[in-house]
Amino acid sequence: ISHTWFLSIIQNDFRAGRIDLENTMRLFDKLQIPFDVAHIKHVFKKTIDKQKGQLINIEDFRSIYRAIVHRPEFNELFRTYASNTKFLDDTQLIEFLRNEQYETEACEKTALEIILKYEPIEEVKKRRQMSFEGFIRYLISEDCSVFQNDLKTVYQDMNHPLCDYFISSSHNTYLISDQLIGPSDLWGYTSALLKGCRCLEIDCWDGSNNEPVVYHGHTLTSKLLFHAVIQVIDKYAFVASDYPVVLSLENHCSPKQQEVMADYLESILGDKLLTSPLDDAVVTQLPSPEALKFKILIKNKKIGTIEEGMLRREFDSHGETGEISDFEDLSEEEEIDEKAPLYRRNVSTKRKSEEQLPTPPRKKAKMKKIKIAIALSDLVIYTKSQKFVSFDHSLSNQQCYENNSIGETRARKFVKHSGNLFSFNTIK
């Protein structure tokens, strides 16, 4: 019966003899089988590579279908409860539900509801039985998902200050392969946003023709134009979520190209870009994710306070720069040395060397001056990058809109030794 039913659904699609990848995926939809596109492409490619063509026949499709749908573990479960027959009756299905799904209150009504919902073969359905095809459709349905359906929508209270939430963040978002010699690609930003990421990193460097570029500095990774990155973010920022997006700028650009960045941010993002505090209120605490829906925030160094920035925005600040003093802490072992050689060390040799050499002395932090274009600085509202000094310093001096980034190794030490204080700070 299953064989006849299967052929009755697919045979019209093979009237011309063969079908392509697009029609193969359309047939999976017709057969009511959810699928992963990448998986279908992979199995389809393996099939056509054997034949050195681009199309498949009806037998090829049956092979692809069995490879993807008729999984061995499903087969084993079905045979365990089907008692050497090709169908499950309601009693056997109840036994499966109780033993495997832990539905202790499963009864004849429960089994019948599942059969009526998932059994695709009408003749089998009328007999109040379930074929292997129906069994598969039940197992891959949302009714069998370990994820609770009611958690797929936002169910938490989103009206607390922004700092009360964990934020789904991405590091080196533009890299899709090797971190030292691999390609930079706009797909990195598209993919992250479509997965619900709300904080994206953008490494910005001076490019030719006064065009800032995005890449992993001091490496052989390829470069993207900054304005192209912002265009992609503008397109996909709120496809997966309405909640705010933070653009974390790792800014290595000259003031001149920082101004170019500021112009692109404003011209491309338009009203999505947050350029002033909500309701123009004095900032005493961060707004909530709910209040910041559909807004894009810029995280960068900032000159002065939010209030000073708002006063400056009444005037043309192009050409103006500010300077801030910052500590360059060279002792943080966890930070990646971007100037390190681009080859892999022999692990065994490295370990032997580490065993023989004494621990190097801690390097002292040194003061450096950083120039910031006022036009870019004044786009920073609730997410000002601020160097972490100590918990005491943060509690005494830090404003609610100042954000710290702490490396993972250092963060673990804080969690271990100062866990109660660490909750006030943000981990990068």
Side-chain angles (χ1 to χ4, degrees):
I1 295 176
S2 295
H3 176 73
T4 305
W5 164 83
F6 185 78
L7 287 177
S8 70
I9 291 180
I10 70 170
Q11 60 189 0
N12 284 340
D13 292 81
F14 287 92
R15 280 178 298 181
R18 293 175 176 268
I19 63 172
D20 58 12
L21 174 61
E22 185 178 346
N23 282 307
T24 297
M25 291 191 286
R26 190 175 294 122
L27 259 185
F28 271 84
D29 280 330
K30 191 175 179 180
L31 288 161
Q32 298 178 323
I33 295 292
F35 58 87
D36 178 74
V37 173
H39 191 193
I40 293 275
K41 286 182 177 178
H42 174 72
V43 180
F44 186 89
K45 186 176 185 302
K46 283 178 65 177
T47 303
I48 62 174
D49 282 349
K50 292 178 184 177
Q51 305 170 350
K52 298 181 180 179
Q54 295 298 317
L55 303 175
I56 61 170
N57 61 28
I58 194 166
E59 287 304 316
D60 295 327
F61 179 80
R62 287 182 66 187
S63 297
I64 292 173
Y65 181 83
R66 283 194 296 268
I68 292 174
V69 179
H70 288 198
R71 288 158 45 182
E73 64 272 27
F74 290 173
N75 229 323
E76 184 179 343
L77 270 175
F78 187 80
R79 282 188 280 108
T80 299
Y81 290 92
S83 301
N84 298 320
T85 68
K86 295 183 178 180
F87 305 100
L88 285 173
D89 61 31
D90 52 4
T91 305
Q92 293 164 335
L93 182 54
I94 291 168
E95 186 183 1
F96 165 78
L97 294 171
R98 289 176 177 172
N99 293 346
E100 307 294 343
Q101 307 296 75
Y102 296 100
E103 294 191 24
T104 56
E105 297 181 3
C107 60
E108 187 177 341
K109 180 183 176 183
T110 311
L112 184 58
E113 286 175 349
I114 292 173
I115 290 170
L116 292 174
K117 185 174 182 180
Y118 293 107
E119 177 52 52
I121 306 173
E122 287 298 325
E123 185 178 341
V124 177
K125 188 187 295 186
K126 288 175 183 177
R127 297 202 308 252
R128 299 170 67 136
Q129 291 179 324
M130 176 172 269
S131 68
F132 183 52
E133 292 292 339
F135 187 68
I136 289 169
R137 282 157 178 74
Y138 169 60
L139 290 183
I140 62 177
S141 71
E142 288 192 350
D143 286 344
C144 286
S145 174
V146 295
F147 193 84
Q148 296 180 44
N149 286 332
D150 57 350
L151 302 188
K152 289 186 176 179
T153 57
V154 177
Y155 61 94
Q156 303 96 334
D157 181 358
M158 302 301 287
N159 291 292
H160 293 279
L162 193 63
C163 55
D164 286 7
Y165 300 85
F166 287 102
I167 299 175
S168 177
S169 303
S170 172
H171 180 62
N172 289 351
T173 315
Y174 48 89
L175 295 179
I176 59 171
S177 182
D178 191 281
Q179 303 280 297
L180 295 176
I181 60 174
S184 302
D185 199 294
L186 294 173
W187 172 249
Y189 289 96
T190 303
S191 176
L193 288 167
L194 292 178
K195 291 174 183 174
C197 186
R198 298 290 86 190
C199 181
L200 309 173
E201 183 178 52
I202 310 179
D203 281 359
C204 310
W205 298 80
D206 281 352
S208 58
N209 302 318
N210 204 33
E211 285 285 354
V213 293
V214 176
Y215 83 111
H216 201 192
H218 307 298
T219 70
L220 300 179
T221 56
S222 57
K223 299 175 182 178
L224 303 172
L225 291 174
F226 178 80
H227 72 79
V229 170
I230 303 305
Q231 286 171 340
V232 167
I233 292 170
D234 175 61
K235 183 175 180 179
Y236 293 100
F238 303 109
V239 172
S241 172
D242 300 345
Y243 290 106
V245 172
V246 178
L247 303 186
S248 181
L249 305 184
E250 190 170 307
N251 185 3
H252 304 277
C253 289
S254 63
K256 184 178 180 181
Q257 293 208 17
Q258 288 180 41
E259 288 196 347
V260 176
M261 289 164 57
D263 288 341
Y264 280 137
L265 288 167
E266 291 195 89
S267 62
I268 296 172
L269 299 179
D271 292 340
K272 296 175 188 170
L273 182 66
L274 187 75
T275 57
S276 63
L278 300 183
D279 303 322
D280 294 323
V282 176
V283 181
T284 56
Q285 74 170 23
L286 292 177
S288 69
E290 195 69 31
L292 288 168
K293 271 186 172 181
F294 301 108
K295 287 297 181 183
I296 296 176
L297 286 66
I298 305 302
K299 179 175 177 284
N300 190 65
K301 302 284 186 184
K302 183 175 179 65
I303 304 297
T305 65
I306 292 177
E307 291 75 23
E308 290 168 347
M310 292 309 299
L311 290 174
R312 286 193 297 260
R313 282 186 66 82
E314 297 179 10
F315 306 95
D316 183 7
S317 58
H318 278 73
E320 295 184 30
T321 62
E323 195 173 71
I324 61 174
S325 299
D326 200 2
F327 285 100
E328 184 178 20
D329 190 352
L330 302 178
S331 66
E332 289 195 4
E333 300 171 354
E334 68 273 17
E335 297 302 331
I336 296 174
D337 181 3
E338 291 185 336
K339 296 181 182 179
L342 305 182
Y343 57 84
R344 299 181 184 276
R345 297 182 181 179
N346 183 289
V347 175
S348 59
T349 305
K350 182 182 176 185
R351 285 176 180 164
K352 288 177 182 177
S353 301
E354 288 173 348
E355 291 171 2
Q356 296 169 357
L357 295 174
T359 304
R362 290 176 64 85
K363 297 177 182 178
K364 293 182 180 179
K366 62 180 182 180
M367 185 73 77
K368 61 177 180 179
K369 299 287 187 179
I370 299 176
K371 288 188 175 180
I372 307 291
I374 295 298
L376 181 61
S377 168
D378 290 346
L379 295 182
V380 177
I381 306 300
Y382 296 121
T383 43
K384 174 183 177 180
S385 295
Q386 187 72 26
K387 192 75 175 181
F388 177 76
V389 179
S390 68
F391 291 125
D392 288 339
H393 181 272
S394 294
L395 291 170
S396 302
N397 301 285
Q398 193 160 319
Q399 301 297 317
C400 66
Y401 54 83
E402 293 177 334
N403 308 157
N404 300 143
S405 291
I406 303 174
E408 288 183 11
T409 302
R410 195 178 181 196
R412 288 192 191 99
K413 292 177 182 177
F414 287 145
V415 168
K416 184 176 181 179
H417 301 292
S418 310
N420 60 327
L421 295 173
F422 190 54
S423 61
F424 289 100
N425 290 266
T426 301
I427 306 175
K428 178 181 178 182

